[in-house]
Amino acid sequence: MTIYIQILVMAVVTYLVRAVPLIFLKNGIQSRFIRSFLHYVPYVTLSVMTFPAIISASGNSQAGLIGFAVAVLVALVKGSLPLVAFCCCLSVYLAQLVL
């Protein structure tokens, strides 16, 4: 019985998180500052969730930092996602061999 209560509570909370802004913000957000702030929230959230995983995924934080640095450099120079992923993985692998 408690599993059904837990599912019901999760459903209500999920619904409220989506419904409350729609109810109170029918006319849209007028403030340019708040709109620009909300524009960057998904990018910041993704970065905050991804960065610790990048550092700790290989089990060696130094190799993770090296891979992150290589990924940033390759992304700035070339910008191709498959190339960035390949170079990052290769650099982490080589860093683990050396370290």
Side-chain angles (χ1 to χ4, degrees):
M1 183 65 178
T2 60
I3 189 74
Y4 295 117
I5 293 172
Q6 291 173 346
I7 291 172
L8 179 66
V9 169
M10 287 188 289
V12 169
V13 169
T14 302
Y15 177 76
L16 287 176
V17 167
R18 287 165 173 78
V20 169
L22 289 175
I23 293 169
F24 291 112
L25 299 173
K26 291 179 184 176
N27 297 331
I29 299 172
Q30 303 301 323
S31 170
R32 289 179 60 200
F33 174 75
I34 293 176
R35 280 191 310 203
S36 66
F37 174 77
L38 291 175
H39 176 75
Y40 292 106
V41 167
Y43 303 111
V44 170
T45 305
L46 181 63
S47 301
V48 167
M49 291 186 317
T50 304
F51 186 72
I54 291 171
I55 302 303
S56 64
S58 67
N60 185 346
S61 61
Q62 293 172 337
L65 284 172
I66 291 169
F68 177 72
V70 168
V72 169
L73 290 174
V74 173
L76 289 173
V77 172
K78 183 67 176 164
S80 169
L81 183 60
L83 181 63
V84 170
F86 175 75
C87 291
C88 180
C89 292
L90 182 64
S91 65
V92 169
Y93 178 73
L94 294 174
Q96 284 184 330
L97 287 177
V98 172
L99 297 174

